[in-house]
Structure formats: C-alpha cells, structure tokens
Amino acid sequence: MPEPTKKEENEVLAPAPAPPPEEPNKEKAAGTAPVKEPTKEKEAGTAPVKEPTKEKEAGTAPAKEPNKEKEAGTSPGKDEEDASPPVALPPGLGSRALERKDSEWSIGESPAGEEQDKQNANSQLSTLFVEKPQGGTVKVGENITFIAKVKAEDLLRKPTVKWFKGKWMDLASKAGKHLQLKETFERHSRVYTFEMQIIKAKENYAGNYRCEVTYKDKFDSCSFDLEVLESTGTTPNIDIRSAFKRSGEGQEDAGELDFSGLLKRREVKPQEEQPEVDVWELLKNAKPSEYEKIAFQYGITDLRGMLRRLKRMRRVEKKSAAFARILDPAYQVDKGGRVRFVVELADPKLEVKWYKNGQEIRPSTKYIFEHKGCERIMFINNCVLTDDSEYYVTAGDEKCSTELFVREPPVMVTKQLEDTKAYCGERVELECEVSEDDANVKWFKNGEEIIPGPKSRYYIKVEGKKHILVIDGATKADTAEYSVMTTGGQSSAKLSVDLKPLKILTPLTDQTVNLGKEICLKCEVSENITGKWTKNGLPVQETDHLKIVHKGRIHKLVIANALVEDEGDYVFTPDAYSVTLPAKVHVIDPPKINLDGLDADNTVTVIAGNKLRLEIPISGEPPPKAIWSRADKAIMEGSGRIRSENYPDSTTLVIDIAEKDDSGVYHINLKNEAGEAQASIKIKVVDIPDPPVAPNVTDVGDDWCIMTWEPPVYDGGSPILGYFIERKKKQSSRWMRLNFDLCKETMFEPKKMIEGVAYEVRIFAVNAVGISKPSMPSKPFVPLAVTSPPTLLTVDSVTDTTVTMKWRPPDQIGAAGLDGYVLEYCFEGTDDWIAANTELIEKTKFTITGLPMDSRIFVRVKAVNAAGASEPKYYSQPILVKEIIEAPKIRIPRHLKQTYIRRVGEAINLVIPFQGKPRPELIWTKDGAPIDKNQINIRNSETDTIVFIRKAERSHSGKYDLQVKVEKFVETASIDIRVIDRPGPPQHVKIEDVWGENVALSWTPPRDDGNTAITGYTIQKADKKSMEWFTVIEHYHRTNATITELVIGNEYYFRVFAENMCGLSEDATMTKESAVIAKDGKIYKNPVYEDFDFTEAPMFTQPLVNTYAVAGYNATLNCSVRGNPKPKITWMKNKVAIKDDPRYRMFSNQGVCTLEIRKPSPYDGGTYCCKAVNDLGTVEIECKLEVKVIYQGVNSPGQPVFLEGQQQVLQL
C-alpha cells in the first residue's frame, strides 16, 4: 500500500478553539484512520484514508511518542480548500490524536472568543443553589440519588434545572427504567428540591455529571462524579485503547467519551516508547483463527463490531459502474471544522443523493453541495460530535459509504497547583484550573488516587473550570505531595501541616453571684493541655466545696454554694505557656417583698369611685428599684390617676378614682445587682352588675308565658343576689313590676295577660352594691290558645293495605296560627290510638299504610299549633280496608291531542297520566307493532307513563297507541308524533327569461321536504367575477320569481334554498347557465321616497289588570304604552292624581310604566288609573286593587294586625 506524501507527514495538528455550548448533547470521540495513497490531492484538497481499525475508531493508541504523531492534509489554496480538509492519521495513535489542526475557520464557524465571554459572564452571575449535589460511589446493580436544592424566596416562578452527563448529554431525554428525575416544593421553607435517581447502576454509568439551574438572568451550575464499583470487588487491568473507545452505534450513550478508565489506573510516570502498530491492517491481513489472539494482544474490546465494519468496507472495495472514484473509507476532522466529501461519477447525468445514517441530507447552511464536471462534492460546516457517523452517497442503483470521525481537544491544566502550608485542624483547599468547563479531573496523594466518600475528610468542588480539593480538619498525616491529572496534562504541589500556636478561645469572665448560688469559672484554649488555678495569688486546692474540672480543651472551677469568703481574684495559667486568664468574683444579696399584711390570696377589694393607696414593705442591698406593672405595661411614677411611689423601705400603688376596668392582677418587680423579686397582687373593684341580656320567651299559653334569661356577663365583682322582672304592652310605654321579692332563678312565669295582645318583658340584676340597668326588652309575644278541631274529615281512597284521608282546616285558628296535623287510628274493638305520622302533616291529606286487609279502623285528626293540639275530629264510622276496583281512564294532555312535532336530535319526553285500581297493565304500540325498547324508553308508575327518546330521529315518527287494562276493563288512546328535519335542495333551477335589468327564475320543490311542509325559499345571486353570494329574496312561497335591479353589464348566477320549520336546506341548487345583463343604453332614474311619519298618538299595548295585595307587603301595578312624541305618564287613585306621596314610587323604562305601593293597608285599596298624554292625544286605563289582611289564619279585609316575633301561617 502506498505511503503518505512527505507534505502530509510534516503537517502537525494544533489545538483549536473550545467548542461552542450550543453543540448537541451526545459526545463522541474523534476516530482516526491510517492514510492511503491520495487521489487528486491538490485539486480536491483532501487526504483520503484507508479502512480504520476498531482501535483507531475508538480513538486509542499507545501514547509513548506523542510528538511523532502527525496528521495528513493539504494547505488551503483554492476556493474548495477554504474548509479544513478531512485528515487521515498514520498507523498508531497517541495523545496527539486529541489535538486540533491549526486551520482557518470557514462557513458555519463559531469563534471561541465569543463563547468564552459567555462562559465568563455566566460564572459571575448570582448563586442559586442552597445545597449542591455531591459525588458518590455505588456498586453495580444498586441505586443512588443526587439532590440539589434551590431557595425560592426571591423567585417569582419555578427555576429551570437540567442534568447533564459529561459536557452536553441532557439526561431529560434518557429518563426511563434506569434514570428518574423528580422535583418537589416545600411551602413553609420555600425550597425547591430536585432529585436525580440512578436505578440499578451499570459500569458505564460512571463519569462526571453536571446540574445547571437558571432563572431569568441568573445561572448556577455544579459538577459531581459518580463511581461505579464492580460487585465482585476486583478491578481488571485497563488498556489505554479501551479508555478512549467510542460507544457502539445505536446505543443509549452512543458517541460518549469515558476517560475514567484512563485516569483510574494511570501513573504519573511517562511510558516508554513502543513501535506504532496498525491493528486494522493486522486484522485485514490475518487469518480468522488469529482474530482472538490479536484482539487480546492489542486490547480490542469490541472485536465483533470491528469485524462487521471490516466486512462492510471490503464490500465497498468492489468495482462500481456508476462511480469512477468512490468515497474514502474514513475521514477525520476537528470539532468545529469543515469536511469535504468527493466522489467522481462515470456518467455525469446520474442523480446523486447523500445520506447520513440512512436519512437523506438536504442542502442547508451546514450542508453545501457542489458539482464540478463529473465530481460531486458535499461540504459539512462547523462539525460537531453528532456529525460523527456513517455517510453514503447513491448514484442510480449503486452507493458508496464512508465513516466521519470528529475529534475533541484534550483538557489542559491552565493554572498549576501551588505549595501550601497549614496548621492542624484547619481547612485546606488545593486549587487548579483546566481548559474546559466541568472536565473529568483525578486527584492523587503520593501517587494514589483520592476517592471522596461520605465519611472521608476529602471532597472535591468544581466551579466551571476551577477544581478544588478540600481537606477538612487537616492533620500531620495529610502532609504529602498532591497531584491532579487530566487527559492533556498534570500538576503537583506539596502540602505541609504543622501544630497550631496556642490560642485562647474562651477567656475567663468576671462574675457577680447571688449568695448561695453556684460559681462557675470556665475557659477554653486551642489545645488539650493542663493548667493551674490561683486565688488572690495563692494556689487553689480542690475540696468538697470547690471542684476543678478539666475536659479536653475546657477548664472549669465550680463552687456549688457561694459564700462571702469565695469573693476574690481568680487566675488560670496553662502549663508550658506564659499566658494567664484572670477573673473577679463578687457575691451579693437579692431583694425581698413582704406581703404579710394582705390576705391569703393577696386580694384587695375597693368600691368603684373610691381612692386606693396600697403600701408594700420591701428589703434588699443595695436598695432595689421597684417597678409596678399590669398586663406587661409599666405603671409610671409621678402624676396620673394610677401611679406608683417608691421609698427605700417600701413601694406604694395609688389609684385615685377606682373604675371597673382597674380590676386585675398587678405585678411588683424589685431589681438590684443581686437579682430580682416578683410578687402579684389582685385588685378587685366592685360595682353594680351589667344589665342582663334580653330574656327569651320559651312557651306561651292563653294568659301566661314562661321566660328565661342568662346571668349578666359582668356581675360587678360581687355575686348576683336575684332579679326583678317587668312587663308592658308592646304599644305602651308603661312598665309594670311583676315581683317585689327577688327571683333567685333565671326563669319566671308571668300570668294574667290578655290573649292576642302583644307583650314585652325585661329584667334587672341585683348584687350587694345595687340594682343594674334594665335589660333590652324581649321579642314581642302574644298569649295564645289552641285551635278548634279540623272539619269535614272524609275518606279519599282505600286499597288492600292503605287508607287515604282528607279534611278541611279548623274554623278558628287563633293568634297562634296552625303548625300542622296529627292523624291517628285504632282498630275496631280496641281503644289503642296509633299515630299514623311521625312528623306534623302540613297538608290536609294523608295516607295510612301497613294496614291488614279486611280489617276495620276508626280515624281521628287533631290540629297542632304553638299552644298545643286541638280537640280531635272523628270519622263517623269504621272504615273497611279493602281495595275497590276502579275502571281505567287515560287523561291525554291537551298539547298531545294534536300532532306532536319535534326536530331531529331533540329529546322527546311525554308524560301521560291515567287512573285505575288496582294498578293497571300498560301496553304501548307504534303503528300497530310493539315498541323497540332499545330506541324508545318507556317508564311506568302507578299514576302515569312516560315516553322518552334522548335524540329523536325521523324513524321515530308515527302513531303511538296506549292501552290501559284493569282486569276486564280496557281504555285506549293514541298520540301522533312527527319528527322533522331540514329539507333537501330544490330541483331544476332554470333561468326562464332575461330582459333589461330583470331575470325570471323557476324551480321545482325538493324531493325531501324534511317530513313537514315547505314554508318558503331563499334566492341568492353571485356576480361571475367574484362569485360572492348575496341574498335577494327570503321566505318566498312560489316556485318562480323575478329578480330585479341587477347591474347592467354584469353576468350573474343564481341559487335557491328550500325552507321549512327547521330552517334552510343544507345545500342549494344553482343555475347551470348564467344571466348576462346587456347594456341597452337605458338611463336609470332613482325612485323618489317620501319621509315616513313616525308620530303616533299614545296607545296602551299592555293594560292594567285587577290585583290582590297582602297588607304589609309591597304591591306593584304594571302596564306598557307607546307613542311618539314620548307621552307624559300620570298615575291617579280614585280620579285623584298621585303627587309627592312617599308611599308611592313611579317608574318608566322603555315604555313599561310601574307604580309601586309600599306596604299597603286596606285603605290603599281602590281604583287606580294610568294616563298617557302627548300632542296627538290622551289615553287612560284603569284597574282595581284589593288589599287582604292576614288575621287569625284567614284572609279577610279589615284592620291589619301584625305580631312581631311570632310565626304566621297562611291557610288558603
């Protein structure tokens, strides 16, 4: 095989700018291929490559001599060579395979300077994380969860969070069986929690992950590592080729680079140089029996995949009749660069199509196609990792394919580690910077990799390009050489940890202690050392009274009960240090309060309006300061109604004029430097009680009532001794006392009242101080009596088990009204009356159920009101419980006696009542045949039958027959139902004649009239130029019409709609020919219209009607009038105009005239008249108003009587 040209061997690739952030998520390693003999190299500007091996496809090779690895290419010189040519690598790959070629950017290029500015701007934005996800370790098959928290106090909406693996792989599209994303929000703490859970981890899940959070212009990110350990606990040897392999095509993580295998076992020492080997060439020339041996020797992990690609590329080498020159087996380009594919056709007329992974490529700014003679060229601009794929081109029935490998630059260390010195226990941070954000970086200590864990003092922070190793609580064992390693470089530094100088963390403090209290002198130094205590310059010896405690870095001197002798200067001196910690101790005596002059519960009683001066002896040294307070509010000294006065041996509380609100607990607080003393004194101000709440009348008789009340809320500070009760008539202002001896209870029974007269009652509360003010009056009440017995008790119906009774209301109801009825019965021969109803019967009809057949019962009924039950009304004779046969009878509603019409889709719901006993048998038929119950629902009850159709159809039309049968008696009835729909279009619309500006049309009725008569036709016209339809005639009844006033010179088409009760037909029939309105020179003269006279004399369109009103309830009279000019409205009562009377309100709105009479009385009855007047005439209309009064439950005219607070029953 020919070797590359010397020009190609001398060209070396240089690093290119960093990839832009908007490139796809999937990361792929750049593949390489060995060079074969170039064809037309100068013209095409490309370096063809031969078939790549799996080892070079994965981007791995021995890295012994990186400087010797060069890439083939051509220098740009022509218009085709503006793009970076695809590069083929020589056999054997090294670290130089990850470097970019130093070439000029072309179409689709994204300058790295702008992207770097964006990254720098993002790093300066405010931080959003309150808790960042931390790296972790998990075994194969186990689960692990990473948590990020964002504070939402300053955020108006939820922030956006994304999870990435590596640089750009968005994990949102990978959520499923092995990856779940979850988010929650805590309302109390206002914190968003975002979780990423990896389920049943696999080895290829290991790597670097990143979490990004954005909110408007704020941005924050955090990187963390996941390490997946094998379940067996052993780690196989890792070859450098497998560390740079590219994932298989079509898999979930296809195109992703995993450098963890390279960094995990890589040593810092440089490797020895090894001869470069072309594994791809070895496999092509080897026997199949030697494949396994070669794969094991050179670390090939995907042997079957390489053999499949080898087989495919061998097929490509067959001679082609369509292609004079095919695509090279593989191309290589730097990320962000430009690649050029060239094929040469044997026949330039053949159509060429380009494909990527089986999908056709269309021309765009990214893909540019060129034709040059027999050559067909495709440029791919701004190559990204997703462009790393298989491409093929078709010409006729033949195709040729190639592989494109896109490379990514290595990660370099841009800022080296620095030597650091620290003290024991301090936090140490070793910092470096790399050339890429969130790059995979490994840390080592003395050549051994550092693996952070939950219990480790080591953890790693990643902030963009900055990587920081943090050591919490450094010790001398942490003194070592630390190094960091990336895919393109390394850095190391030394850390030295020494002992800290002694520091006083907590010094001794001066203390002032109460006599008998504990003295505790405490100090803390930075080191765990011993020391000595002295008092006034003399050593302190430990006794039962004095204890010395040493625990770690804390030293204490404790005295349980302080004495006067314990006062002095104390000093603690740490051993081996010249530092002293002094403190002074002062012992004092607290204040005291003497309350011996007060009663047992410290209560002082004073009558409202009197002056109180309360003096309390006190003691303490130095003399304490006294502060009086009430409800946490201090009482000041000096002037004021409530004030305090302080003396050396006493303190005094003064209240000039005691009030009810002065009652309560008063606190004394004594304070000096020895301490504090508190005491509480209860001051009780007594007064007359508050007035009680308004009493309630719970029961009423014919001349008596029972009233109850609650004690007053405030008893004046003295117990209530009793109550006085007074009453008066509602319309009177004179109160009369009912008791002269105090009532001890909260209940009283006034007597000797007049029935039917409204009364009110009130009460007074009495205590030792005096009598309270009166309570509010009770609600008005009326002494009541029971009603007279009900009347006209008769039997309504009887069945085998029930008896239905009905009756009339009592003749005399009384002021108590009527609440309901009680119906009772007893069997013949017994005296046990049984109540037929559990609750009061409001109607005058009730059915007694559950009776034995052929039994005889007596029945009686009582009327019940607030005064009780009336005398019973008996049925005169026993009732036999046995059903009587009643012949059936159908009561067809009036609207069903004619044809019942409904539209298609409407619901049909017919209720047909019937009679008959016992329960009749019902049979429905339609047009003589049984009804299909799947289409028509029939529901029967004891008194009616219902025909229900949810959506009517035209097939439901017909004659429905109902047969009601009771034994041998039969009754029948028929109902005609017609379901109608919109009609079809008319037939045969023709233009009969055209003359002048007129067209004569004719048509025939539609075939389908919608099951109802045609009510008319609608005719529309359309100009031939615009074909916009306009309605000419609506609701036209004939089948011929003349269309007039057409525009001369225009050509018209016409169409006709049919119309029935449901509306217009859905379609219209249009004339086949058009009508041309010829120009004959006629002069059109506009018709002259006279102005219409809208004036009109007043006329009532809705008259007044005679009205009945209930006294005390507003009544309205309404009528409507029209006229032009607008008539003036005048209301009159008994021929007298109503003016400025507040009891009347008059309205007029849109011709509707209303007279409102507020709370009318019988005197408001009479003849009312509404008069309308304008310039053309006068019109009047009258009506009568009668006002009824509710009195003793019967409507009768006369003086109204209304009883407030009592229920009225209206029995019509």
Side-chain angles (χ1 to χ4, degrees), residues 889 911-916 919-920 922 940-945:
K889 186 174 183 180
V911 180
I912 295 93
F914 59 84
Q915 294 177 347
R919 183 170 180 173
L922 283 78
N940 299 324
S941 68
E942 294 182 356
T943 59
D944 57 32
T945 178

Side-chain angles (χ1 to χ4, degrees), residues 499-750:
L499 291 174
K500 292 183 179 179
L502 184 65
K503 294 182 180 179
I504 300 174
L505 303 179
T506 306
L508 294 177
T509 57
D510 297 341
Q511 293 190 14
T512 301
V513 184
N514 292 334
L515 187 66
K517 300 296 181 180
E518 182 186 76
I519 300 174
C520 181
L521 299 177
K522 177 183 175 182
C523 65
E524 183 179 358
V525 294
S526 60
E527 300 296 328
N528 185 5
I529 57 176
T530 59
K532 297 179 180 180
W533 290 88
T534 61
K535 174 187 175 184
N536 297 330
L538 299 177
V540 176
Q541 300 297 328
E542 188 172 4
T543 62
D544 295 338
H545 177 65
L546 186 147
K547 300 292 183 181
I548 297 176
V549 181
H550 175 207
K551 186 175 181 180
R553 298 181 298 179
I554 299 175
H555 298 265
K556 293 182 181 180
L557 186 146
V558 181
I559 301 174
N561 296 316
L563 303 175
V564 178
E565 298 80 25
D566 294 326
E567 188 173 294
D569 297 332
Y570 291 79
V571 177
F572 174 74
T573 305
D575 293 340
Y577 288 89
S578 59
V579 179
T580 59
L581 289 79
K584 291 183 178 183
V585 176
H586 181 45
V587 180
I588 57 176
D589 191 17
K592 295 180 182 178
I593 303 173
N594 185 5
L595 299 177
D596 295 338
L598 303 179
D599 57 11
D601 57 352
N602 297 338
T603 301
V604 177
T605 303
V606 61
I607 297 177
N610 294 347
K611 181 176 181 179
L612 173 66
R613 184 179 180 86
L614 180 62
E615 184 176 349
I616 304 297
I618 61 175
S619 64
E621 190 62 34
K625 181 180 179 181
I627 299 176
W628 287 82
S629 63
R630 178 189 177 195
D632 297 332
K633 185 176 181 181
I635 299 174
M636 307 303 296
E637 297 183 24
S639 61
R641 191 177 65 85
I642 302 177
R643 62 186 181 276
S644 63
E645 298 176 0
N646 294 324
Y647 304 96
D649 58 347
S650 67
T651 179
T652 304
L653 175 66
V654 180
I655 301 177
D656 284 339
I657 301 174
E659 297 177 356
K660 168 186 171 182
D661 295 337
D662 296 336
S663 298
V665 179
Y666 290 75
H667 304 281
I668 310 172
N669 186 14
L670 300 183
K671 185 175 182 181
N672 64 5
E673 62 178 274
E676 295 184 8
Q678 290 95 12
S680 298
I681 299 174
K682 184 178 180 181
I683 295 179
K684 184 177 181 182
V685 180
V686 295
D687 198 355
I688 62 173
D690 286 348
V693 207
N696 293 323
V697 178
T698 58
D699 197 6
V700 178
D702 53 352
D703 65 344
W704 56 269
C705 73
I706 296 177
M707 55 182 293
T708 60
W709 62 90
E710 295 293 332
V713 178
Y714 176 64
D715 60 2
S718 179
I720 299 296
L721 301 178
Y723 302 92
F724 288 118
I725 296 93
E726 293 182 349
R727 83 177 179 206
K728 76 175 182 69
K729 295 180 180 178
K730 183 178 184 299
Q731 297 179 350
S732 174
S733 61
R734 180 184 174 186
W735 290 92
M736 181 177 68
R737 180 164 293 185
L738 302 181
N739 64 318
F740 294 96
D741 295 329
L742 288 176
C743 177
K744 305 293 184 180
E745 306 295 333
T746 58
M747 181 182 70
F748 190 76
E749 182 179 351

Side-chain angles (χ1 to χ4, degrees), residues 19 230 254 271 479 567 627 754 818 935 1006 1185 1196:
E230 294 185 0
Q271 299 181 358
T479 301
E567 188 173 294
I627 299 176
I754 303 173
L818 180 63
Q935 296 184 3
L1185 173 66
S1196 62

Side-chain angles (χ1 to χ4, degrees), residues 821-882:
Y821 301 92
V822 175
L823 188 67
E824 297 177 335
Y825 68 94
C826 74
F827 292 99
E828 186 178 22
T830 66
D831 294 330
D832 298 329
W833 289 94
I834 303 170
N837 56 304
T838 57
E839 297 180 355
L840 290 179
I841 305 171
E842 296 181 358
K843 300 180 179 180
T844 58
K845 184 178 180 181
F846 189 77
T847 300
I848 304 173
T849 60
L851 300 175
M853 193 172 81
D854 294 332
S855 62
R856 293 178 178 271
I857 63 172
F858 290 95
V859 180
R860 69 184 183 183
V861 62
K862 299 177 183 178
V864 180
N865 65 0
S870 68
E871 292 295 326
K873 173 66 177 178
Y874 292 90
Y875 189 68
S876 58
Q877 57 186 4
I879 303 170
L880 177 64
V881 182
K882 187 174 183 181

Side-chain angles (χ1 to χ4, degrees), residues 201 230 328 356 373 435 505 723 792 794 844 876 951 964 1046 1101 1111:
E230 294 185 0
D328 298 317
K356 173 185 175 182
S435 58
L505 303 179
Y723 302 92
L792 301 177
T794 59
T844 58
S876 58
K951 290 185 178 181
V964 180
L1046 299 176
T1101 58

